[in-house]
Amino acid sequence: MIYLCLSYAILTLSFIIVEWYYYTPILQFLILFYGVFTSMFAVADIYDDTVQRSVEGSDAYACSTEVCKCCAPRCIGIQWALIAIIFQLFGIWIALVEMSDECEDLGWFDCIHLSIDLDDFDLAERNWDFDGFWDP
């Protein structure tokens, strides 16, 4: 395990050096690969631990007995896997938007909010009157 961690550190350091001196966007691709690889492993682990088999000591079993008694542990595992896949797709989308040509000179926050028109969103014009809101 130590050699695996050292190999990732050496690989990342070599990609940093390559990006610093030779080729610019290669580190972005490496980080995108790390993120997708880690997310794929998480989805595979969720599937293996909760969907494929249901062990009495698993997190899905504990969640099934304590929080949501109407769902089986496998159903909770499928929900966790779907949430993990949705977050993985969202992360890939953000990474690809960030690496697009439109976002070359922008920061990540400006790039993600490029398509949102913030002029229509004015908090001063909203009605913040809460009188009578809490009355039954």
Side-chain angles (χ1 to χ4, degrees), residues 23-119:
Y23 187 68
T24 300
I26 196 164
L27 191 60
Q28 290 178 347
F29 292 121
L30 180 71
I31 292 172
L32 180 63
F33 170 74
Y34 283 166
V36 170
F37 183 75
T38 305
S39 298
M40 294 283 289
F41 180 75
V43 170
D45 187 49
I46 289 170
Y47 176 77
D48 184 47
D49 289 343
T50 59
V51 177
Q52 192 174 18
R53 57 187 165 90
S54 179
V55 180
E56 191 170 332
S58 69
D59 292 336
Y61 189 83
C63 186
S64 169
T65 57
E66 292 183 18
V67 178
C68 187
K69 295 179 182 181
C70 62
C71 290
R74 290 187 180 179
C75 180
I76 292 175
I78 289 171
Q79 292 171 4
W80 288 346
L82 287 175
I83 290 170
I85 289 170
I86 288 169
F87 276 114
Q88 180 181 10
L89 293 174
F90 183 67
I92 291 171
W93 175 75
I94 286 177
L96 292 176
V97 166
E98 183 69 30
M99 289 190 298
S100 68
D101 292 334
E102 297 173 349
C103 297
E104 189 172 330
D105 297 329
L106 298 174
W108 70 271
F109 186 77
D110 296 329
C111 181
I112 298 300
H113 290 85
L114 192 63
S115 63
I116 299 173
D117 187 17
L118 294 177
D119 295 333

